[in-house]
Amino acid sequence: MYCVRKIAEELYWVGGNDRRLALFENIHPIPRGVSYNSYLLLDEKTVLFDTVDWSICRQFLENIKAVLGDRTLDYMVINHVEPDHSACIEEIILRYPDVKIVCTKKAFMFMQQFGFHMDGKTIEVEEGHTMSFGKHNVTFVSAPMVHWPEAMVTYDTTNGVLFSADAFGSFGALDGKLFNDEVNFDRYWIDDTRRYYTNIVGKYGPHVQALLKKASSLDIKIICPLHGPVWRNDFGYLMDKYDKWSRYEPEEKGVMIVYATMYGNTEAAANDLATRLVEKGMTNVVMYDVSKTHVSYLISDTFKYSHVVLPCVTYNLKIYPPMLNYIMDMKALNLQKRTFALIENGSWAPQSGKLMRKLLNEMKEMTILDNEISLNSTMKEDDVNSMDDLADSIIKSMK
Ligand code: FEO
C-alpha cells in the first residue's frame, strides 16, 4: 500500500521509514529508526528529487506509482549519491527508461563507481545552473562536503522549496508526522537531530557555514531534507542550531562528565566532582559511563556542552580503550572550542591524564584546565581539597 503526503501544490513526499535497521551506516544506533525522504513534483514535467535506501525500495516504488498515476517520470534530480539515497536509481531507470538524471559531474562519477548504468541519460549541472519543469524553475546550489564532495541542494524559485540533501536532516522514523510543526521538535527530535548532524556532518563545519551563507540569500518557504521532518516554519530555531554546531560553539554552559571506570573507583571520583559542582551552583551537569554509552551519543552531547571532564583509569599504561575511541572520534569530527578537566587514575603508574592532555592539545582551540587530579586506585580524604579546587576552576572558567 502506498503512503505519501502532499507538501505543497504539485509536490509530494514519496519516501519511507526503516524501523528495522539497528545501525545507520552500520555504526550509529538508531533506536527510533530513520526516514529516507524523496520528493516528487508534478509539473508539466514530472521530477523526482533523490531516491531512497534499498531497504524501502518496494514502498518507494508504490508511492511513486500512486502519485504519478498514468504519467511517466521525466527527470530525477540527484542531490546526493550516498547509497541511502541513491540505491534505487537503477530501479527507477528500469521502470521509467526515458528518465533523465540531473546531477553534478562528481555525482555522475560516483554513480559510475557504484556501478550504475546511466549512459546518455545524465544532464550535468553546477552551481548557479537553472532548469524549468514548466511552472517550477529551480536553481542548483553546490554543497560540497555536506556530506560528500558531490553534494548539491536544489532551490525551487517558484514556491521557495529547498531540497537540502543531508543538511537539516535527522535520525528518527516519521510516525505519520512529516512536518516540524506536527511534532514537539525541541522535546522529541532535537537530540536525534544533533546526533545525526554531529556524527554525520560534524567534521565539515566550514562547509556547512558556506551553505548557510548561500541559504541566507534565498527566500525559503519549505526545507525538504533527505532524513527526518520537513520544515515549513520556525527556521530561526533550526538555523541557530546549525550555526552553532558548524562553528563548534556550545549550545549550553554545562559540564559533561564522561568517565572510564573498571571497578567503580573512578566513577566514585566522578560522582564526587559532579556533587561538588551542583552544590556550588552549577546544576547543568550530565554524566556518562564511556563503556556503556555509544560514542555517537557522547559526540552529540560534546557538541552541546561547553565543558567536558574526563575521569579515566589507566589501562595497559595507556588511556582506557573506550575513552581513547571517544577522544579520537572527537578529533576526527574536528571538534573545537571546549574546556576540559582531567582526572587520571592508576594503581601503580597513572598515565591517562598525561596521554589525554597530549591528544586534546593536538585539537583546535581546546582549553585544558591546569589542576589535573591524579588518583591512586581510589579517591581519598587527601584528595578532597584538590577535587574541590577543580570544581571551583571549572565554574570560574565558565565566567
Ligand atoms: Fe543520508 Fe550522506 O547520506
Side-chain angles (χ1 to χ4, degrees), residues 24-25 80 82 84-85 147-148 166 196 200 227:
F24 185 80
E25 294 183 344
H80 184 25
E82 190 164 9
D84 56 333
H85 310 294
H147 142 232
W148 279 15
D166 271 349
Y196 170 84
I200 306 297
H227 302 285

Side-chain angles (χ1 to χ4, degrees), residues 196-211:
Y196 170 84
Y197 173 84
T198 54
N199 286 280
I200 306 297
V201 196
K203 180 179 178 65
Y204 305 111
H207 299 84
V208 174
Q209 278 287 309
L211 180 60

Side-chain angles (χ1 to χ4, degrees), residues 184-191 237:
N184 184 336
F185 198 90
D186 204 51
R187 182 163 183 181
Y188 296 116
W189 280 86
I190 189 61
D191 287 341
Y237 170 90

